């Protein structure tokens, strides 16, 4: 199997580990992520301004590129996934026929409805299947207590994304169980991490991430996984500030789900990029005997 | 399509009504008269100020008589108003009322048109169409149908009860059908009712009793309606009466059965907050006051057991601490409790539904516990069974199969003798299984128990040496059971098998077990290699270790996955230090001066599956390697030694062939079972064979013709994935074992459960089938009211009318995602809180929260949980929640004085007598109301947190509390949907029953004769439900008070000459009023019309290609004539 | 085309649309008088032949009014039969050279007087736009 793949900006810089582990794991699991020949910023935030077509051009250009290569597009970053999928829906929403015509004419490229914007997790669950992944597991993550943090962009608006139950998401939990780890349930799986308000209202953003982290730690998790670079940043790096404010705070490592996937499938060393975390995850993994010190 | 002139040109009179200025104001009456005067078949045209007035009607009557009219058109208001009036008037003059028609020139002409000329034009056309209609109208007489004056009420909540009582009190027989074991519905669950705060039960139970005692009411509880046919006044209803496995006539409601019953399951009457037994009565005041046994198929563990041991039964009994009863139950199917409790391969566990949740119940070890427990506390062996039969039976072979057969025969009272070649009984149990797995006392325990039933034993008697089968028959034995087992070890067929140091596994084990040959010196400090992968191989390996072998390895051709030995035995062996060499097959046993020095092996790889379904090992060329060893134990396979039975039919591989139904061999009177028939198999399979043989022998001796073993395919109890998800994970009890350091002796490795461990483990059982059929209830019931063989029955009733009172459910909080999908124990729904408040509830009225029984100091109530939320849940208002939440808050504050009650609401709706005052009272007594919705509820660190909004202050609210009560929406019961499909009556998009007219016919359905009562039609409180019930009842009574029913004659007939019998109309008829039947010629078909069923929609007329189906007084040519008239200038 | 007055035949189901028309009357809503109402018990009573017959006899438009699907039909599912039938009639009309727009099906309940008025207005306008039906040589096959 081969999927057109849209990495998105962060996955080339801060979120290398999210990207690399995903590609390598894909190979082990028998499918390939084929990067778009050309791609541009997804737009980062889905524009809800209906008459601002310029905002739609960016994401739709990516879709159009993907359409040339196949009838699906796989992304990893929750934000990209959210924006690209909703832009696609926007194009084919009833009543938008004129707008669609205009946009596609502007892009001078053919495009049609038979295009699926998929998140990597959807590929794992629906196309590969947990059973197939289970047999490929080299390093069972037995005994590792993982809190899967989904964040908002992956789940909402639920009726549009149809990704998972926004109040009780399961897919990352299922993945972790498949890899042998113990998924930890906590009430804030889908709450906002603080997102972009980090810039203009840092205190509120901080409160958001702290609420989530507190609950995760209270629930007895040893680490967190996310699928969104922004979440990863807020939940991981914000711990620095949290500790300044409340010294008692106990640090907890935050992975991308692909890192644990890769680890379980036997990836090692550089690929896992265990170094670009604020909270160093290595001690935990060593203690669990998953990597050697 | 040419309009044909009717034979009889009617004389039609047209009467144009002014209706004051309502018509005359817009329609120019005189012009109408002028233009109609000369219209074909109009005899006379007259007008009147008010035709409906007395003078108006008289004018019509007189004109009809004077002008000898045979048709009348009154041009006036809508027929819905005065059609009956004018038809009556016409009829009084002797012409058929159906020859009088109304031309609606008011509602559909004068009132809706401004331009007078146009209005006049339209009026004329409308009148012309009706004149044409009358021209073709035929005299009709209404069809009259009889009424069966018996009513049925479906659903016995408060509404159903009220309806039934009212109808019954009016003197009509009433059948009341309720799906649950008791009547009473949800009202019986409520604590106190708003706004008067009187006790729900106290006001309901008298009515329930009245129902029971009413001479006119037939109550069918625990029953469901399965089918309905017929039409108003004459319905046929099929009712399925589910069996309670209890005879209502005998049960006196004492409850001894429930005390005896070991099975506890969720109590739905307490809304899941407590447990009840498998045999139960929903609540003490239940009507009828009898018990019910709940069964859901058969538990998988029971089905999985070859010997049909009731595993679920004894596990349940252990959970209830009834160890002796458990053991007795187990022994009904298998006398080897102690043995099987240790060495059984327990398929029951691999089939246990608990596998879907975490790990299976340790059924086998539990069996061992009850067996050991009996010995420990000192047991009394049963007295010998009196020999009531005279035909002697000989059993050859004292292994499990033979002993089991003897046991079951002895229990039947047959004189049985066992002939055993060895000095003692037990067969493979003592020779084949090492003591560290199955100590002698454990075997003896079972054998003693078996022999105690009075069985004659002759040891040291070898068939063929000391006696022959012939002798036995000569000595007066009437039947012989062969159970000599499979003890002939098979060879590998490789060079070197005769070297010294090569053992057959069974010989090796026998020498050790029976201590007939001391191998210690031979094995001690040596290297031992066992070839094979079965239990015998593993046993031999572990035995060798205990004899002091320096290293022991097992050589197996396939991989671990295919290894036939029990997984858990293999694990122990490895722990103890046995090495296993997989995918290796011996090619040669190497020797030096006639002593083994090693084995040459060949590497294997797995090919396609073979006959046994296991993957075939294929040698890899040039992969030979050598395993150095001093002793080789061949554990490849064993076969039965059948050389003694030359004239019995045998299978390809030399086992005895038997009739599977009765285990008889090819020779009459000679039966066989166990390994001799099956080849090397398990103890439990041997027991099964022995039991079946015993039954076969009995059938043979009693001369019953052999009934083939019926293959019941029982409905195996299962749960849905959702249900599995709800079970809490609980660790499986681990079998305590002696430390590895002590594994050098033959001391038993497994130590057995303690009483606590056993009990706790047994309580993990999911009780898949609810009732476990342990029959304790039967023992306990002095009234002898219990019969587990009862079956469901169904009965058909003829009734005239039917009241639907199917009630409601509360919305399942599992679908309320933001409120935790029901995963938080202290987030409960309104009905659960009712039970908590109820004096008869799980906390007997004390307010305690489910999780830890603490008294909640702060309770948050959430209104509109699932109601008034069109995006996500129910769009409607559930109506009762505002009031019952106020009641809950109030009652809570009455019970917990320092408690804090906080209510989140969107609006507070208090429409109802005394409702507003009650709400006021709640606020006065300090209940806090916050206007806003709750966005999220979650539980962490033992406290519940509620996120909401206060829309009055516009602030976010975050509250910690001890418990949350959700006023979950009222939703229709799932049964309502099924019922609606059966009754073909309409449901709205939410699934509530639809009334005929929202304002004017609120208790009727679209189907004549079906009426609505209670919350099945939409959310209601008690007084409304009761009022509607009485209304429905009065409708029924009104219907029954008629002598017979009039059925409108505007129905579709059929013209046999035109009917081609195509049957198109049969399909389109919504009322099954048209049937295809053979014509007299017996070949071609034609349509038969069941006139009383026809409602006169005319769909058939439209569908009929030949025009044979014609609706009376609305025929094709009639309508065509009308159309034409409406269009002509 | 100014002085053209469309001739329209309206088949109204007794329980919903006809009742709706009555309501329009009682609430004194006015609408063009071009439609001559013919009340049948159920819209499913309307035989395709009637439609053709109406056009043949000079109608410029034919209207059929029934009860709202799914549950309003007084005869359980008559409205569904009509729902399936009308598109087929429209096809047939097209083949005969009659604009399918000249046939209109509407669900109008007893409580929708306003809708009845609106629909009749719209439909009359539509027919006005289309102009008189020129049947010239259209053949309808007699039923018998």
């Amino acid at each position: 199997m081969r999927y057109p793949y849209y990495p998105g900006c962060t996955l080339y810089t801060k979120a290398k580990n999210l990207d690399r582990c995903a590609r390598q794991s894909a190979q082990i699991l028998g499918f390939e992520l084929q990067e778009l020949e050309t791609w541009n910023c997804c737009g980062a935030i889905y524009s809800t301004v209906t008459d601002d077509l310029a905002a739609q051009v960016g994401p739709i250009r990516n879709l159009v590129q993907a359409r040339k290569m196949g009838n699906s597009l796989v992304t990893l970053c929750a934000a990209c996934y959210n924006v690209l999928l909703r832009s696609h829906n926007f194009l084919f929403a009833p009543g938008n026929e004129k707008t669609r015509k205009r946009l596609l004419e502007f892009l001078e490229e053919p495009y049609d409805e038979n295009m699926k914007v998929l998140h990597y997790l959807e590929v794992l669950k629906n196309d590969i299947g947990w059973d197939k992944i289970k047999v490929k597991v080299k390093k069972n993550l037995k005994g590792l207590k993982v809190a899967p943090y989904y964040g908002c962009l992956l789940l909402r608006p639920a009726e549009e994304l149809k990704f998972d139950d926004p109040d009780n998401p399961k897919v990352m939990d299922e993945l972790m169980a498949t890899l042998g780890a113990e998924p930890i349930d906590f009430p804030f799986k889908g709450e906002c991490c603080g997102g972009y308000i980090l810039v203009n209202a840092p205190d509120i953003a901080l409160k958001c991430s702290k609420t989530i982290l507190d609950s995760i730690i209270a629930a007895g998790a040893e680490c967190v996984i996310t699928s969104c670079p922004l979440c990863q940043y807020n939940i991981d790096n914000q711990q620095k500030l949290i500790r300044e404010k409340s010294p008692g705070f106990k640090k907890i490592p935050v992975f991308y789900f692909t890192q644990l996937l890769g680890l379980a499938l036997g990836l090692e060393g550089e690929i896992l990029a265990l170094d670009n975390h604020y909270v160093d995850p290595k001690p935990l993994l060593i203690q669990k005997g998953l990597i050697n010190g | 399509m040419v309009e044909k002139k009717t034979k009889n040109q009617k004389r039609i009179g047209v009467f144009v009504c002014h209706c004051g200025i309502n018509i005359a104001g817009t329609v120019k009456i005189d012009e109408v008269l002028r233009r109609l005067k000369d219209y074909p078949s109009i005899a006379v045209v007259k007008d009147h100020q008010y035709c409906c007035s007395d003078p108006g009607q008289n004018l019509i009557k007189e004109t009809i008589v004077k002008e000898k009219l045979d048709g009348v058109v009154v041009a006036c208001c809508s027929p819905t108003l005065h059609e009956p009036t004018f038809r009556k008037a016409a009829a009084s003059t002797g012409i058929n009322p159906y020859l009088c028609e109304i031309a609606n020139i008011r509602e559909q002409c004068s009132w809706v048109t401004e331009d007078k000329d146009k209005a006049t034009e339209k009026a004329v056309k409308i009148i012309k169409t009706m004149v044409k209609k009358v021209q073709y109208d035929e005299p009709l007489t209404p069809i009259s149908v009889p009424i069966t004056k018996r009513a049925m009420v479906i659903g016995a909540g408060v509404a159903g009860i009220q309806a039934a009582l009212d109808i019954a009190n009016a003197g009509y027989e009433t059948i009341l059908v309720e799906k649950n074991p008791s009547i009473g519905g949800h009202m019986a669950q409520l604590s106190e009712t708003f706004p008067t705060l009187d006790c729900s039960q106290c006001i309901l139970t008298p009515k329930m009793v009245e129902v029971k005692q009413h001479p006119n009411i037939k109550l069918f509880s625990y029953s469901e309606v399965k089918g309905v046919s017929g039409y108003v006044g004459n319905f046929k209803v099929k009712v399925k009466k589910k069996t309670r496995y209890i005879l209502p006539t005998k049960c006196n409601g004492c409850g001894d059965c429930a005390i005896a019953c070991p099975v506890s399951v969720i109590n739905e009457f307490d809304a899941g907050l407590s447990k009840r037994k498998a045999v139960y009565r929903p609540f003490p005041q239940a009507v009828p006051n009898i018990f019910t046994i709940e069964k859901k198929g058969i538990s998988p563990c029971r089905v999985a057991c070859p010997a049909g041991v009731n595993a679920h039964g004894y596990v349940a009994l252990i959970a209830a601490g009834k160890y002796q009863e458990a053991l007795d139950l187990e022994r009904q199917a298998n006398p080897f409790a102690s043995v099987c409790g240790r060495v059984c391969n327990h398929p029951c566990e691999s089939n246990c539904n608990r596998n879907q949740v975490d790990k299976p119940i340790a059924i086998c070890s539990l069996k061992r516990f009850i067996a050991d427990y009996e010995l420990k506390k000192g047991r009394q062996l049963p007295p010998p069974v009196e020999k009531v039969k005279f035909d002697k039976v000989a059993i050859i072979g004292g292994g499990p199969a033979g002993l089991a057969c003897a046991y079951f025969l002895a229990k039947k009272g047959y004189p049985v003798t066992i002939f055993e070649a060895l000095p003692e009984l037990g067969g493979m149990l003592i020779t084949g299984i090492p003591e560290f797995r199955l100590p002698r006392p454990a075997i003896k325990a079972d054998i003693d128990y078996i022999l105690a039933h009075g069985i004659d034993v002759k040891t040291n008697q070898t068939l063929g040496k000391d006696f022959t089968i012939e002798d036995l028959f000569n000595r007066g034995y009437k039947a012989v059971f062969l159970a000599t087992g499979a003890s002939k070890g098979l060879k590998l067929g490789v060079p070197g098998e005769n070297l010294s140091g090569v053992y057959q596994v069974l010989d090796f084990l026998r020498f050790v077990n029976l201590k007939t040959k001391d191998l210690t010196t031979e094995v001690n400090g040596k290297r031992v290699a066992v070839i094979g992968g079965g239990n015998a191989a593993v046993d031999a390996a572990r035995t060798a270790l205990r004899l002091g072998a320096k290293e022991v390895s097992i050589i197996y051709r396939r991989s671990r996955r295919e290894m036939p030995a029990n997984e858990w035995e293999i694990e122990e062996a490895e722990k103890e230090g046995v090495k296993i060499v997989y995918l290796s097959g011996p090619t040669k046993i190497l020797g030096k001066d006639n002593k083994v020095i090693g084995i040459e092996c060949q590497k294997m790889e797995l090919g396609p599956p073979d006959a046994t379904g296991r993957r075939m090992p294929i040698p890899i060329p040039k992969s030979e390697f050598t395993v150095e060893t001093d002793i080789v134990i061949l554990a490849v396979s064993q076969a039965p030694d059948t050389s003694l039975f030359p004239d019995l039919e045998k299978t390809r591989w030399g086992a005895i062939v038997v009739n599977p139904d009765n285990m008889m061999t090819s020779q009459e009177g000679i039966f066989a079972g166990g390994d001799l028939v099956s080849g090397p198999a398990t103890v439990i399979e041997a027991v099964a064979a022995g039991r079946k043989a015993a039954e076969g022998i009995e059938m043979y001796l009693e001369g019953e013709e052999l009934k083939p073993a019926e293959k019941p395919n029982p409905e195996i109890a299962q749960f849905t994935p959702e249900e599995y998800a709800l079970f809490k994970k609980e660790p499986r009890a681990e079998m305590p074992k002696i430390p590895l350091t002590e594994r050098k002796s033959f001391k038993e490795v497994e130590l057995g459960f303690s009483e606590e461990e056993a009990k706790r483990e047994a309580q993990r059982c999911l009780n898949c089938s609810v009732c476990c059929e342990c029959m304790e209830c039967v023992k306990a019931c002095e009234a002898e009211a219990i019969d587990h063989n009862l079956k469901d029955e169904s009965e058909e009733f003829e009734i005239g009318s039917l009241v639907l009172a199917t009630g409601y459910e509360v919305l399942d909080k599992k679908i309320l995602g933001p409120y935790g999908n029901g995963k938080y124990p202290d987030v409960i729904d309104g009905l659960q809180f009712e039970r908590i408040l109820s004096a008869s509830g799980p906390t007997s009225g004390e307010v305690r929260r489910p999780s830890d029984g603490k008294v909640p100091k702060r309770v948050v109530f959430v209104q509109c949980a699932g109601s008034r939320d069109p995006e996500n849940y129910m769009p409607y208002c559930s109506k009762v929640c505002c009031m019952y939440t106020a009641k809950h808050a109030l009652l809570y504050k009455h019970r917990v004085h320092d408690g804090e009650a906080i209510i989140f609401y969107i609006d507070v709706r208090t429409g109802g007598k005394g409702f507003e005052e009650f709400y006021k009272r709640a606020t006065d007594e300090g209940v806090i109301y916050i206007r806003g919705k709750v966005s999220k509820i979650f539980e962490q660190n033992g406290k519940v947190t509620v996120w909401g909004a206060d829309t009055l202050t516009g602030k976010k609210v975050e509250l910690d509390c001890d418990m949350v009560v959700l006023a979950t929406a009222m939703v229709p019961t799932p049964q309502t949907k099924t019922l609606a499909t059966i009754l073909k009556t309409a449901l709205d998009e939410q699934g509530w029953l639809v009334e005929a007219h929202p304002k004017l016919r609120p208790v009727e359905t679209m189907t004549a004769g079906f009426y609505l009562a209670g919350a099945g039609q939409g959310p209601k409180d008690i007084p409304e439900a009761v009022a509607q019930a009485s209304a429905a009842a009065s409708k029924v009574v009104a219907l029954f008070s008629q002598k017979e029913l009039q059925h409108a004659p505007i129905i579709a007939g059929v013209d046999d000459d035109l009917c081609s019998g195509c049957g198109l109309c049969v399909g389109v008829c919504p009322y099954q009023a048209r049937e295809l039947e053979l014509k007299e010629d017996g070949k071609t078909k034609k349509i038969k019309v069941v006139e009383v069923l026809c409602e006169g929609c005319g769909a058939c007329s439209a569908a009929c290609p030949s025009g044979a189906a014609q609706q009376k007084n609305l025929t094709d040519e009639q309508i065509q004539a009308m159309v034409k008239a409406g269009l002509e200038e | 085309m100014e002085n053209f007055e469309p001739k329209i035949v309206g088949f109204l189901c007794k329980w919903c649309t006809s009742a709706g028309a009555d309501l329009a009357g009682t609430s004194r809503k006015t609408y063009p008088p071009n439609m001559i109402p013919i009340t049948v018990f159920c819209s499913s009573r309307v035989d395709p032949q009637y439609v053709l017959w109406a056009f043949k006899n000079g109608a410029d438009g034919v209207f059929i009014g029934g009860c709202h699907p799914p549950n309003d039909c007084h005869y359980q599912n008559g409205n569904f039969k009509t729902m399936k039938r009308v598109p087929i009639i429209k096809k047939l009309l097209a083949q005969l050279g009659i604009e399918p727009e000249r046939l209109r099906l509407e669900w109008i309940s007893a409580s929708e007087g306003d809708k009845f008025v609106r629909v009749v207005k719209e439909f009359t306008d539509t027919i006005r736009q289309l102009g008189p039906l020129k049947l010239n040589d259209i053949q309808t096959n007699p039923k018998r």
Side-chain angles (χ1 to χ4, degrees), chain B residues 841-862:
Chain B
T843 57
S844 30
E846 282 182 59
V847 180
R848 301 187 169 284
R849 65 180 198 175
S851 64
D852 54 8
K854 273 221 236 74
V855 176
K857 291 297 176 196
R858 182 194 252 177
V859 178
V860 170
F861 298 85
V862 180

Side-chain angles (χ1 to χ4, degrees), chain A:
Chain A
M1 267 180 295
R2 175 180 287 194
Y3 296 87
Y5 169 54
Y6 173 85
C9 51
T10 355
L11 279 78
Y12 260 59
T13 54
K14 284 203 60 49
K16 284 199 192 63
N17 29 12
L18 175 55
D19 172 77
R20 291 210 208 118
C21 296
R23 296 187 194 230
Q24 298 278 339
S25 307
Q27 301 225 318
I28 299 172
L29 294 171
F31 67 101
E32 191 193 331
L33 295 179
Q34 187 181 26
E35 185 170 337
L36 301 186
E37 284 101 12
T38 84
W39 52 268
N40 50 270
C41 170
C42 70
I45 307 174
Y46 176 70
S47 163
T48 47
V49 189
T50 43
D51 57 357
D52 169 18
L53 292 189
Q56 300 290 356
V57 173
I60 292 168
R61 180 172 177 280
N62 292 319
L63 294 169
V64 166
Q65 297 307 324
R67 190 73 187 88
K68 293 187 201 154
M69 297 164 61
N71 54 7
S72 64
L73 173 61
V74 173
T75 65
L76 272 158
C77 164
C80 303
Y81 171 71
N82 186 288
V83 176
L84 292 171
L85 176 49
R86 294 177 72 184
S87 306
H88 173 82
N89 295 348
F90 169 82
L91 273 185
F92 296 97
N96 283 5
E97 294 73 11
K98 286 204 182 61
T99 330
R100 173 165 74 235
K101 201 155 164 301
R102 250 184 93 194
L103 279 163
L104 295 178
E105 277 170 1
F106 174 78
L107 286 162
E108 296 176 341
E109 300 269 16
Y111 188 67
D112 58 63
E113 206 163 355
N114 319 325
M115 174 66 164
K116 273 212 202 54
V117 178
L118 297 171
H119 191 279
Y120 192 82
L121 284 162
E122 292 178 294
V123 177
L124 292 185
K125 182 181 175 142
N126 305 330
D127 299 6
I128 310 301
W130 300 137
D131 301 350
K132 185 138 180 273
I133 297 176
K134 208 188 214 95
V135 299
K136 294 270 199 229
V137 170
K138 277 216 185 62
K139 254 193 223 134
N140 192 309
L141 304 185
K142 203 163 189 303
L144 185 65
K145 295 201 174 69
V146 187
Y149 171 64
Y150 294 77
C152 50
L153 291 171
L154 202 51
L155 301 172
R156 299 178 190 270
E159 59 278 12
E160 209 179 317
L161 303 184
K162 299 187 181 56
F163 177 81
D164 204 339
D165 175 353
D167 298 307
N168 193 14
K170 282 256 163 293
V171 60
M172 281 205 272
D173 298 60
E174 287 167 8
L175 174 62
M176 286 303 118
T178 309
L179 305 180
E182 181 187 341
I184 299 295
D185 192 18
F186 65 105
F188 300 99
K189 284 177 169 180
E191 295 300 324
C192 172
C193 67
Y196 302 100
I197 58 167
L198 183 61
V199 186
N200 44 15
D203 301 359
I204 301 177
L206 196 63
K207 194 163 172 298
C208 293
S209 16
K210 186 167 188 304
T211 323
I212 294 163
L213 282 161
D214 286 345
S215 136
I216 286 173
I217 292 160
E222 298 164 321
C223 61
V224 188
I225 54 166
T226 99
S227 81
C228 171
L230 190 58
C231 299
Q232 203 278 343
Y233 180 84
N234 282 348
I235 301 298
D236 186 12
N237 296 49
Q238 288 286 74
Q239 295 187 38
K240 194 190 286 135
L241 285 172
I242 295 175
R243 280 162 65 77
E244 285 168 15
K245 288 206 162 41
S246 41
F249 182 86
K250 162 176 160 299
K251 285 191 292 182
I252 179 168
V254 183
F255 295 99
Y256 289 111
F257 73 95
T258 54
Q259 288 176 288
L260 290 189
L261 174 64
L263 184 65
L265 295 177
L267 300 184
E268 282 168 347
E270 238 330 271
I271 309 269
L272 297 174
L274 294 169
D275 296 323
N276 50 4
H277 291 257
Y278 162 68
V279 179
D280 180 3
K282 290 196 251 25
L284 172 67
L285 297 180
I286 292 165
Q287 175 219 330
K288 295 283 172 184
L290 291 167
I291 59 171
N292 20 25

Side-chain angles (χ1 to χ4, degrees), chain B residues 1 78 987 1068 1114 1116, chain C residues 7 22 45 50 53 71 81:
Chain B
M1 179 150 31
S78 164
L987 296 174
V1068 298
L1114 205 61
D1116 286 338
Chain C
K7 288 204 224 149
D22 284 357
R45 172 70 181 96
Y50 303 163
W53 177 259
N71 293 334
K81 297 182 184 110

